[in-house]
Amino acid sequence: MNEAKKAAGEQAAELVRTGMRVGLGTGSTTAYALRAIGRRIRESSLHVMGVPTSFASERLARECGIPLTTLDEVDELDLALDGADEVSPDLDLIKGRGGAHTREKVVAAQARRFVVLTDPSKDVERLGAKRVVPVEVLPMATGPVLRTLTGLGADASLRMGREKDGPVVTDQGFWIIDARFEGGIDDPPRVDRTLRDTPGVLDHGLFLDMATDVFVGHPDGSVEHRQRDE
């Protein structure tokens, strides 16, 4: 799928215009967009400011020569570019396999246009059909949040590190619980509301009614552009 990711990322990068303030997402597909933006900065008169969604995207943006700013310094973003783990027919998303979903959601919410870059493997009929929903939690709230997720019908577990012992720690110093919904989520808005109302939850990976566009790259290099119905 590398060619598909590259096609989606590079086409989305063409949306960036001089003077824009752009949210810079995290992940392998968005990395192609950041590299394409960096090339345009080096090779043309493109002038933009980026707001990264993670330490990883900040490092890559600096490597690509993209000037950076913060949400303290800008009132609004013209555009946010990011990937997704799942995309429903209504353009609702699951994000957070890389653990950056909280910052990604903050940045996406500040953008007038939120463009998601994917490949066909991310398409689902129901959210949760393929991927878990990550829930970022205060460590001391792990037990209560696990019980809340069980009550919602999820098989939930703390995400553990692969290269070191112990839980995965996010950029915010929180832990991640992965919630698997067998067969998909029956009522995503209910899960969203319940988690938002649960003390100790910082945020979660359901992105509902947020994406304005989805660019789906295909292995032959073509890109399908989907837009949310108004």
Side-chain angles (χ1 to χ4, degrees):
M1 285 293 178
N2 283 339
E3 288 302 317
K5 293 179 179 182
K6 182 178 179 182
E10 293 190 345
Q11 182 157 324
E14 292 299 318
L15 299 174
V16 178
R17 300 286 183 266
T18 285
M20 280 188 169
R21 296 158 297 183
V22 182
L24 307 175
T26 303
S28 58
T29 307
T30 314
Y32 285 109
L34 269 60
R35 294 188 183 102
I37 293 169
R39 285 196 300 272
R40 291 180 59 201
I41 289 172
R42 293 192 301 272
E43 297 171 2
S44 69
S45 57
L46 181 68
H47 297 283
V48 300
M49 296 293 289
V51 175
T53 58
S54 66
F55 294 150
S57 61
E58 178 180 347
R59 289 181 61 188
L60 179 57
R62 293 189 187 281
E63 290 175 11
C64 294
I66 302 173
L68 299 179
T69 185
T70 69
L71 294 176
D72 290 333
E73 298 170 321
V74 297
D75 295 331
E76 184 182 54
L77 300 176
D78 301 286
L79 179 69
L81 304 175
D82 213 340
D85 301 325
E86 286 187 350
V87 181
S88 78
D90 294 329
L91 306 193
D92 288 332
L93 317 171
I94 287 179
K95 292 174 51 57
R97 184 172 57 177
H101 51 281
T102 295
R103 291 192 182 192
E104 290 169 341
K105 190 176 289 186
V106 171
V107 169
Q110 302 305 308
R112 287 189 289 172
R113 190 175 182 187
F114 177 32
V115 180
V116 179
L117 321 176
T118 71
D119 60 69
S121 71
K122 308 300 175 61
D123 287 343
V124 294
E125 288 300 315
R126 300 178 72 194
L127 290 180
K130 296 180 180 180
R131 300 291 185 185
V132 298
V133 178
V135 183
E136 190 166 355
V137 300
L138 191 69
M140 70 168 291
T142 299
V145 175
L146 283 169
R147 291 190 287 273
T148 296
L149 287 165
T150 299
L152 289 169
D155 179 9
S157 60
L158 190 62
R159 186 184 298 185
M160 305 302 289
R162 293 184 179 179
E163 301 299 326
K164 72 175 186 68
D165 293 336
V168 169
V169 179
T170 69
D171 287 354
Q172 289 69 245
F174 281 52
W175 291 354
I176 296 177
I177 293 172
D178 286 325
R180 185 175 304 279
F181 292 83
E182 187 67 31
I185 304 171
D186 292 329
D187 189 348
R190 174 173 175 257
V191 174
D192 173 51
R193 289 191 303 271
T194 301
L195 291 175
R196 287 178 182 272
D197 291 342
T198 301
V201 173
L202 180 59
D203 215 321
H204 57 78
L206 288 173
F207 284 55
L208 308 182
D209 299 317
M210 295 188 71
T212 59
D213 305 74
V214 174
F215 283 12
V216 184
H218 294 271
D220 64 1
S222 63
V223 179
E224 176 189 356
H225 182 192
R226 303 173 188 167
Q227 292 181 287
R228 181 179 293 276
D229 295 333
E230 296 296 337

